[in-house]
Amino acid sequence: MAPCGAGPVLAVLLALLGALLPGSGDALTSVHPQEAILPRGGSVQVNCSTTCDQPFHLGLETLLAKTEVAKGDKWKVFELSNVQEDTNLLCFSSCASEPQTVASTSLTVYQLPERVELAPLPRWQPVGDNFTLRCQVWGGAPRANLTVVLLRGQKELSRQPTVGEPAEVTATVPASREDYGANFSCRTELDLRHQGLGLFENSSTSRQLRTFALPMTRPHLSAPDILEVGKNSTVDCFLDGVFPVWEAWVHLSLGGRRLSPTIKDSDDLLLATAMVMADLDQEGTQQLTCAVNLGNQNQETRKKVTIYSFPAPSLTLSELEVSEWTMVTVACEAHAAAVVTLTGAPAPTSAQMPASKAQFSFNASAKDNGRSFSCSAALEVAGQVLYKNQTQQLQVLYGPRLNEEDCPGNWTWQEGSEKTLKCQAWGNPPPKLDCHRKGDKVSLPIGDLRPVKREFAGTYLCRAVSVRGEVTRQVVVNVLYHQNNLAIIITVAAVAILGLAGIAGYLYNRQRKIRKYKLQKAQEEASMKMNTPP
């Protein structure tokens, strides 16, 4: 095979020679096809013919490998194989003594690109910034018919011709949120439709772009200013305007120790919540850090917190349960840096200098049973005064008590009234109380009396008993009532009235009978006078 470029130069020289030589007669040389397009490395047949009627010499001038595959009286067919590049061919003929004539044809070689590659995209691309799509194409012919198309998905972004080897085309594109997860690629189009072959496409491997938006504002860190050793506290860190929020990474740490936050997101809001428990070795001022990372950017917020240790104060009684008239000592002690206040003493105590310890003693009486003592410790941490308290209660054991205040010895009421009879015994442990009337042993009706009856009257003996002794008390109940004379008077009056009514009735009937008798007598006498002769 001739060196690259020799074929075209030779073809041009032959064509020029044919054009300069004058023709005579009617003998002509022709070639078919006058132009041809074929794939690189392909084969093509070329027909050279002449119109010469006399002895002639007919041939094909080319540097390509050729084979005569057929011939006739005035034509020959040559097959050219393994055509690698564009070239021009010359058919020539010499007719007897006439000058040589030629006819030229061109072969165009086409080839799909050997390689189409889209340069890698940024790992993360900030929204609003421009990025460059860069596509390189190796091979491909004819270049005049070869175009490079840059694509976002199926959407065409740019269309450019191929120039150079390798050919490189670029396009600058602004990144948007919609580009997150979008696929970009480049495609070559070899358009041979005018040559009757069609449109040949070849695409690169697509590359996915991840865009992001991280606001310029710092995360909002919410946490207590002070943290107690061994106690759980909540730390919140949030940042709005994060996209894509699910790709963001949050780092929370206290004093260089990483926390384990729970991440929640809603739209563009990122929220990280962690429970933090400070250790004793972290006591003092520590740095609380919240960092939000997305893409190749991060925003960070730091906050100083004070970690302190403040155990509850210790409140002790020499004994929690004592007999009456026992000496009791109450002591309160707290953290060395704290100040304690001890309260609950039966009698005022002398003022003491602020200290981490306090105590007093007293002789316990029945009135001190159930007495509460309080030890309050105050500690100043980072300008805040914190308080912790402890309480204790004293139990004083004493025998039963039945006094006039809780069990009056004399009750006087009017019969029919509504009253409450009260009798309560005191003691620790609580005593059992029994009250019975002398004589018939009827129980004292303690509680609401509705109404008061005369049957309640009497003298009662109340007895309170516990393991620590017993005590008795006499209770007298008086019920006032009046004799019922009114009923007798009414009865006597009724009998008298009935008696008088009976007498009056008797006299009336008697007088009526007498008048009737006299009337009858008068009538009889009158009748007798009428019957006597004159």
Side-chain angles (χ1 to χ4, degrees):
M1 180 179 294
C4 181
V9 172
L10 177 60
V12 170
L13 291 176
L14 290 174
L16 180 59
L17 178 61
L20 293 176
L21 292 174
S24 62
D26 295 327
L28 296 174
T29 301
S30 60
V31 62
H32 180 80
Q34 293 184 347
E35 60 180 21
I37 186 166
L38 68 160
R40 174 167 293 181
S43 301
V44 63
Q45 291 184 349
V46 177
N47 187 313
C48 294
S49 61
T50 182
T51 59
C52 182
D53 294 329
Q54 300 178 26
F56 61 88
H57 177 64
L58 181 64
L60 176 65
E61 185 64 36
T62 180
L63 296 178
L64 300 174
K66 61 182 178 180
T67 302
E68 183 179 314
V69 294
K71 66 179 180 178
D73 293 339
K74 297 182 179 182
W75 56 269
K76 288 182 180 181
V77 175
F78 301 92
E79 183 176 67
L80 307 176
S81 58
N82 194 26
V83 180
Q84 295 293 325
E85 59 185 14
D86 297 350
T87 186
N88 290 321
L89 307 176
L90 286 178
C91 284
F92 64 89
S93 64
S94 300
C95 183
S97 59
E98 293 182 10
Q100 186 181 55
T101 60
V102 297
S104 64
T105 184
S106 62
L107 297 182
T108 301
V109 173
Y110 74 89
Q111 178 189 20
L112 296 179
E114 300 170 6
R115 181 177 165 195
V116 180
E117 184 175 308
L118 182 67
L121 299 176
R123 176 175 172 79
W124 284 100
Q125 179 65 33
V127 170
D129 290 359
N130 292 333
F131 67 99
T132 299
L133 294 175
R134 188 183 309 277
C135 182
Q136 290 184 309
V137 179
W138 284 264
R143 285 295 179 87
N145 298 70
L146 186 63
T147 303
V148 179
V149 182
L150 296 173
L151 302 167
R152 178 189 184 277
Q154 297 300 318
K155 181 181 178 181
E156 185 175 310
L157 300 177
S158 176
R159 177 179 291 269
Q160 301 178 39
T162 53
V163 178
E165 181 62 33
E168 182 176 281
V169 297
T170 60
T172 301
V173 182
S176 66
R177 290 192 175 201
E178 290 71 23
D179 290 328
Y180 175 82
N183 290 315
F184 292 83
S185 63
C186 60
R187 182 180 69 216
T188 59
E189 294 181 355
L190 184 60
D191 192 355
L192 301 178
R193 286 174 291 186
H194 289 299
Q195 289 78 7
L197 294 178
L199 181 66
F200 300 93
E201 296 180 348
N202 196 8
S203 296
S204 69
T205 300
S206 62
R207 297 189 183 275
Q208 192 176 73
L209 181 67
R210 292 196 294 177
T211 60
F212 74 97
L214 190 65
M216 299 302 294
T217 56
R218 293 183 178 182
H220 179 78
L221 183 58
S222 175
D225 294 328
I226 57 176
L227 299 174
E228 185 176 359
V229 171
K231 296 294 181 66
N232 277 324
S233 297
T234 302
V235 176
D236 290 323
C237 178
F238 66 87
L239 183 62
D240 201 4
V242 179
F243 173 83
V245 67
W246 59 89
E247 292 272 19
W249 176 73
V250 181
H251 174 82
L252 274 174
S253 64
L254 175 63
R257 297 182 184 178
R258 186 170 180 177
L259 306 179
S260 299
T262 299
I263 309 298
K264 295 182 180 180
D265 57 78
S266 176
D267 296 330
D268 291 348
L269 177 63
L270 178 69
L271 172 63
T273 301
M275 299 300 296
V276 58
M277 180 184 289
D279 295 330
L280 187 60
D281 61 355
Q282 291 179 298
E283 192 170 2
T285 301
Q286 298 288 350
Q287 196 85 260
L288 182 64
T289 303
C290 174
V292 178
N293 297 273
L294 182 58
N296 55 359
Q297 298 179 6
N298 76 296
Q299 292 290 353
E300 183 177 281
T301 298
R302 296 176 180 267
K303 178 181 180 177
K304 289 184 178 180
V305 297
T306 301
I307 298 175
Y308 68 94
S309 176
F310 187 18
S314 172
L315 176 60
T316 59
L317 277 66
S318 54
E319 291 184 76
L320 292 176
E321 186 176 271
V322 299
S323 297
E324 191 175 16
W325 312 122
T326 301
M327 187 64 67
V328 177
T329 299
V330 183
C332 172
E333 184 175 358
H335 190 279
V339 175
V340 299
T341 302
L342 179 59
T343 60
T349 57
S350 58
Q352 298 181 357
M353 294 294 292
S356 61
K357 297 180 180 180
Q359 74 173 42
F360 59 75
S361 300
F362 67 98
N363 201 6
S365 68
K367 292 182 179 180
D368 296 318
N369 182 43
R371 179 178 292 278
S372 292
F373 305 93
S374 175
C375 174
S376 176
L379 178 68
E380 184 176 351
V381 179
Q384 300 184 41
V385 179
L386 308 175
Y387 295 92
K388 287 198 173 181
N389 303 290
Q390 285 283 12
T391 60
Q392 291 278 18
Q393 192 175 67
L394 177 65
Q395 295 294 321
V396 179
L397 303 176
Y398 61 96
R401 306 289 166 89
L402 272 175
N403 53 42
E404 179 66 22
E405 180 181 357
D406 297 310
C407 189
N410 193 293
W411 301 88
T412 302
W413 297 313
Q414 186 70 43
E415 185 181 27
S417 61
E418 295 183 353
K419 300 294 181 179
T420 300
L421 194 154
K422 179 179 69 171
C423 185
Q424 183 176 3
W426 296 98
N428 190 21
K432 180 181 179 182
L433 176 65
D434 290 314
C435 294
H436 296 94
R437 190 161 56 192
K438 292 181 178 180
D440 58 6
K441 301 299 181 181
V442 174
S443 296
L444 179 66
I446 298 174
D448 291 339
L449 305 180
R450 300 188 181 189
V452 174
K453 300 178 181 179
R454 67 180 66 180
E455 290 84 2
F456 296 157
T459 299
Y460 295 82
L461 184 63
C462 293
R463 181 171 177 263
V465 180
S466 76
V467 295
R468 302 191 70 84
E470 67 175 76
V471 65
T472 60
R473 182 173 180 79
Q474 182 173 284
V475 177
V476 178
V477 178
N478 299 301
V479 180
L480 303 178
Y481 60 92
H482 300 287
Q483 295 294 336
N484 199 357
N485 296 326
L486 181 60
I488 298 174
I489 294 171
I490 293 173
T491 303
V492 173
V495 172
I497 292 171
L498 290 175
L500 292 175
I503 294 170
Y506 170 76
L507 293 176
Y508 171 77
N509 288 329
R510 186 172 181 276
Q511 289 295 327
R512 186 174 62 82
K513 291 179 178 181
I514 293 172
R515 286 195 300 269
K516 184 177 180 182
Y517 176 76
K518 289 179 176 182
L519 180 61
Q520 290 177 350
K521 287 296 186 178
Q523 290 176 349
E524 290 177 357
E525 289 177 358
S527 175
M528 290 178 63
K529 288 179 178 182
M530 292 179 63
N531 295 324
T532 301

